[in-house]
């Protein structure tokens, strides 16, 4: 999801870097390493759930709201 692959365009890399910084502003406890290892929305939701001590439903709702309009 936030991780970079070798065949991505410069635009895609810049977009992901922006999303990564935005996620770190939104969830202060996320590190660059945390985000660079997340590959799926499920992994992202689970990390938010565990680190923020939220229910699965609330974590998913928060992630969905944050992801709205973003292209990964």
């Amino acid at each position: 999801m936030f991780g970079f692959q070798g065949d991505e365009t410069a635009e895609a890399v810049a977009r992901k870097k922006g999303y990564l910084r935005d996620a770190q502003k939104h969830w202060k406890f996320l590190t660059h390493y945390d985000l660079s290892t997340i590959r799926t929305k499920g992994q992202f939701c689970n990390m938010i759930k565990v680190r923020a001590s939220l229910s699965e439903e609330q974590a998913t709702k928060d992630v969905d709201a944050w992801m709205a309009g973003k292209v990964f």
Side-chain angles (χ1 to χ4, degrees):
M1 202 165 126
F2 293 100
F4 304 107
Q5 302 164 5
D7 61 342
E8 293 177 310
T9 65
E11 179 184 297
V13 170
R15 185 176 64 246
K16 284 185 176 185
K17 284 182 180 180
Y19 292 165
L20 191 143
R21 285 189 299 272
D22 188 48
Q24 285 180 305
K25 287 179 186 173
H26 191 83
W27 293 285
K28 303 285 187 199
F29 52 80
L30 294 175
T31 67
H32 184 276
Y33 178 77
D34 290 337
L35 292 168
S36 68
T37 62
I38 293 172
R39 299 286 179 237
T40 66
K41 178 183 168 194
Q43 288 176 326
F44 192 29
C45 291
N46 190 57
M47 186 170 285
I48 299 304
K49 173 186 149 189
V50 170
R51 300 268 178 92
S53 299
L54 298 174
S55 68
E56 187 169 341
E57 181 181 325
Q58 185 61 51
T60 300
K61 188 176 180 180
D62 290 354
V63 169
D64 284 342
W66 181 83
M67 287 179 66
K70 293 177 174 67
V71 178
F72 285 89

